[in-house]
Amino acid sequence: MKIRLSHADGRPLYVQIMDAVRSGLVRGTLRPQDPLPSVRDLSSSLRVNPRTVSQAYAALERDGVVQVRHGKGTFVAPGVRPEEKERPRLAREVARRALADASRSGLALPDLMTALRELDRDSHGDGRKEDGR
Amino acid sequence: MTDTVTATLPIDLGSGPFAVTTRGLARRFGSVRALDGLDLQVPEGAVYVLVGPNGAGKSTLIRTLMGLVRYQAGAVSVLGRDPGDRGAEVRSGIGYVPEDYRVGYAWMTVGRLLEHQAVYHPSWDAEYARELRARYDIDPGRKCHTLSKGQSRRVQLVLALAHRPPLLLLDEPTDGLDHVVRDETLSILSEHLADSPTTVVISTHRVYEVEPLVDHVGVLSEGRLLGQLPRDELRGGLLRYWADVPEGWTGPGELGGRVVRRSGAARAIEWTVWGDRDAVTRGLSQAGAAVREVAPLSVDEAAVALLSGRKAS
């Protein structure tokens, strides 16, 4: 599981970890029953407080995305349906950030929609471009 | 155009339990008030970062908690004991990285120094000490006086961590370390927190480095705290508001928050305000400002806002 945290991001770190897990589910790099890294390993690789990782895992468990199996670790929940729940949720989050960014620049929704459609048309057939970032 | 307003954030963290507290702590050096009525509260299990300019009293405070500096007024409790009269006992429960780089005795080898510490601390974890020594690439055959700053720092970190103390007092722990070793140190600290129940107090000028590890923040200036609160409360309560305002705008009469710092140009303001986000946004809007963005501050930015507000007062 690849996670990149941004400290300039307005989202708290535990939310960024939650979004990274959701994004893994949407892309298919994380599947039902897959193990997540241990709290110790993930906090060590991200250089964050282990409690932040625990907080993210606990919130994901409340949302039904992961299951904590005592003594075994944390796993993606067997019944998770990324297409129904995680995808729209992640899309809303990305849209919310885009809207906030637009508003900061003094732009309104129609400006943003027009630019998005044009960009999408320009890059047609290469829709995965954004993934390479 | 920057204009600053005095403001103090909350400093009361409630009823504990606390690993460290001071009440009205004071210490003067000649005419300088190094600590001036300081009420520190470090909750058990917290990772508490102490921020402040040079001379704010950070190192004096840490040395007082260690029982290395005598305080002149107030009360101190470290792990339930007063370091003023039970210094040695208090120190045995603390992993300390001092501001000073010198370690051990000049003629002593690093290996001998580590053995020496192992005897002093019954909880010394020899296997962990070996692991840390290997990760830090420390040569046990080196004489202490031949160590560079960065090498001394690494030895000091091993000495502080390897007995898995209930309290770590780290005074500029990454000072003198190169980028790779600094990064390795942060990873080591994350793992240490996952493996051992520990309270940590870190004093540093590189707050951005340790920010992801930190859950409590204290901002120190001239021997006093300007704010002491959980990181999440700082993130939620101290916000920067960007707004477009009419020419000649003078601001709202009632804001529902406390302005820590005002800046911006004639028609666009950038205010740092401590208060409820919705109430402050409403206050600005009702006064005719079009709020464009509201964003939390990094600990660094928050400290700068608070300290520059202090300076202007």
Side-chain angles (χ1 to χ4, degrees):
Chain A
M1 188 171 64
K2 263 276 181 241
I3 297 187
R4 257 183 38 202
L5 298 181
S6 161
H7 302 300
D9 198 301
R11 290 172 299 166
L13 295 176
Y14 84 94
V15 175
Q16 294 188 42
I17 295 170
M18 290 175 72
D19 285 350
V21 171
R22 291 208 165 94
S23 159
L25 287 168
V26 169
R27 289 165 194 241
T29 53
L30 270 181
R31 303 206 174 119
Q33 315 270 17
D34 276 357
L36 294 185
S38 72
V39 169
R40 184 184 194 272
D41 288 351
L42 189 56
S43 54
S44 169
S45 69
L46 297 175
R47 284 88 169 111
V48 301
N49 193 313
R51 283 194 197 152
T52 304
V53 178
S54 302
Q55 190 184 3
Y57 282 4
L60 285 168
E61 189 176 33
R62 277 197 300 279
D63 289 353
V65 178
V66 306
Q67 273 184 345
V68 177
R69 296 181 200 155
H70 289 286
K72 293 205 176 116
T74 304
F75 297 81
V76 178
V80 61
R81 305 242 187 288
E83 288 306 311
E84 284 165 35
K85 262 182 80 186
E86 272 33 70
R87 193 179 191 89
R89 190 162 186 163
L90 200 62
R92 264 201 308 279
E93 180 56 32
V94 171
R96 195 188 57 71
R97 291 208 296 276
L99 273 176
D101 211 354
S103 152
R104 174 173 40 216
S105 308
L107 301 174
L109 182 62
D111 301 316
L112 196 58
M113 295 300 281
T114 308
L116 280 172
R117 282 201 198 90
E118 279 176 15
L119 274 175
D120 193 46
R121 202 170 48 232
D122 292 351
S123 63
H124 71 97
D126 191 17
R128 300 185 64 86
K129 216 174 183 176
E130 289 289 303
D131 283 3
R133 283 200 308 157
Chain B
M1 191 180 80
T2 297
D3 170 23
T4 46
V5 184
T6 318
T8 306
L9 267 42
I11 59 163
D12 189 1
L13 288 173
S15 54
F18 296 112
V20 178
T21 57
T22 73
R23 289 201 61 77
L25 181 66
R27 166 76 212 204
R28 307 170 75 120
F29 294 107
S31 63
V32 179
R33 293 168 195 264
L35 301 174
D36 191 12
L38 187 79
D39 295 329
L40 183 76
Q41 295 177 329
V42 183
E44 262 178 40
V47 182
Y48 185 119
V49 71
L50 209 49
V51 200
N54 292 323
K58 301 188 298 290
S59 292
T60 305
L61 173 59
I62 288 177
R63 290 171 56 78
T64 306
L65 302 180
M66 282 289 290
L68 301 172
V69 166
R70 289 201 87 72
Y71 57 95
Q72 293 158 327
V76 183
S77 169
V78 178
L79 304 171
R81 297 189 182 92
D82 179 356
D85 56 40
R86 297 166 83 179
E89 249 176 279
V90 168
R91 283 191 289 281
S92 72
I94 298 178
Y96 175 48
V97 171
E99 198 183 16
D100 192 327
Y101 291 106
R102 280 163 301 183
V103 291
Y105 300 100
W107 46 265
M108 207 181 229
T109 63
V110 171
R112 185 75 193 84
L113 177 65
L114 291 170
E115 284 165 27
H116 193 264
Q117 284 289 310
V119 174
Y120 181 67
H121 291 290
S123 58
W124 187 264
D125 181 339
E127 196 186 320
Y128 186 35
R130 269 194 298 278
E131 181 203 320
L132 289 170
R133 212 183 67 200
R135 281 176 78 170
Y136 273 138
D137 197 18
I138 292 168
D139 171 6
R142 286 284 289 268
K143 292 252 170 41
C144 287
H145 73 97
T146 67
L147 298 175
S148 70
K149 268 189 182 184
Q151 288 164 336
S152 287
R153 238 343 167 224
R154 286 181 267 171
V155 172
Q156 287 171 324
L157 281 158
V158 177
L159 295 175
L161 295 172
H163 59 109
R164 300 192 187 275
L167 177 63
L168 288 169
L169 298 178
L170 311 176
D171 198 349
E172 297 285 356
T174 59
D175 206 19
L177 303 178
D178 66 40
H179 289 83
V180 175
V181 181
R182 277 211 301 272
D183 188 56
E184 179 73 3
T185 301
L186 298 175
S187 166
I188 287 171
L189 286 175
S190 296
E191 288 170 29
H192 189 89
L193 289 170
D195 295 339
S196 315
T198 317
T199 305
V200 189
V201 178
I202 307 176
S203 158
T204 181
H205 288 299
R206 303 176 199 266
V207 191
Y208 56 90
E209 258 178 22
V210 297
E211 181 156 353
L213 288 172
V214 159
D215 53 25
H216 285 75
V217 179
V219 181
L220 198 63
S221 170
E222 295 170 351
R224 286 166 171 269
L225 284 165
L226 301 182
Q228 169 171 261
L229 67 174
R231 172 69 185 109
D232 291 345
E233 281 178 28
L234 184 68
R235 171 184 284 278
L238 186 67
L239 296 162
R240 196 161 281 168
Y241 298 78
W242 283 268
D244 296 346
V245 296
E247 193 90 47
W249 192 72
T250 51
E254 185 66 34
L255 188 59
R258 189 185 249 167
V259 185
V260 174
R261 195 177 198 206
R262 301 168 203 265
S263 64
R267 287 181 291 272
I269 57 158
E270 182 190 316
W271 281 14
T272 305
V273 186
W274 170 256
D276 177 71
R277 178 185 183 134
D278 293 341
V280 173
T281 306
R282 215 178 309 122
L284 286 168
S285 303
Q286 279 166 3
V291 178
R292 289 250 165 264
E293 193 191 0
V294 185
L297 281 71
S298 69
V299 173
D300 251 329
E301 291 168 328
V304 169
L306 280 168
L307 293 163
S308 56
R310 179 79 171 175
K311 209 182 256 173
S313 67

